[in-house]
């Protein structure tokens, strides 16, 4: 049985590959996701969205980043953004 943590670990390996560059990219993702959560929790949705967009420019297939951006767009009423992210996220979740 594949656990959620195992699936995310496999996603990370597929997204980043291996080696030093992958470790740097993973550190960037971790730090950015933490900042997104922080800004979101303080009601700074615009800044959180901006960081999500920056994250996804660098790692477009990151499921967690796409899910977070989808949540932020839902909360802000950005219907066009919701549709865009949902269309991008659907094939990622089916893979």
């Amino acid at each position: 049985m594949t656990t959620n943590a195992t699936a995310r670990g496999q996603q990370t390996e597929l997204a980043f590959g291996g080696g030093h560059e992958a470790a740097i990219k993973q550190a960037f993702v971790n730090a950015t996701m933490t900042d997104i959560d922080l800004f979101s929790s303080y009601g700074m949705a615009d800044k959180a969205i901006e960081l999500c967009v920056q994250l996804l420019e660098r790692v477009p297939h990151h499921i967690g980043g796409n899910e977070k951006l989808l949540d932020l767009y839902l909360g802000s009423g950005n219907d066009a953004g919701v549709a865009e992210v949902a269309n991008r996220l659907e094939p990622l979740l089916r893979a």
Side-chain angles (χ1 to χ4, degrees):
M1 176 188 293
T2 303
T3 64
N4 220 13
T6 302
R8 291 207 188 272
Q10 290 169 348
Q11 170 202 346
T12 299
E13 187 171 324
L14 288 173
F16 302 128
H20 183 68
E21 184 176 325
I24 291 171
K25 192 175 279 189
Q26 182 63 51
F28 166 76
V29 168
N30 291 343
T32 303
M33 291 295 288
T34 299
D35 289 347
I36 290 166
D37 287 339
L38 180 67
F39 285 119
S40 182
S41 70
Y42 281 102
M44 301 173 70
D46 289 343
K47 183 63 177 172
I49 289 169
E50 179 183 326
L51 287 175
C52 264
V53 169
Q54 290 173 6
L55 169 69
L56 294 172
E57 286 173 352
R58 188 163 174 187
V59 189
H61 297 103
H62 189 268
I63 292 174
N66 279 287
E67 289 174 335
K68 182 60 77 171
L69 185 57
L70 182 66
D71 287 341
L72 290 165
Y73 280 158
L74 281 168
S76 68
N78 182 339
D79 294 336
V82 169
E84 176 187 335
V85 176
N87 287 331
R88 183 173 57 230
L89 190 55
E90 182 182 6
L92 296 176
L93 294 175
R94 289 181 183 215

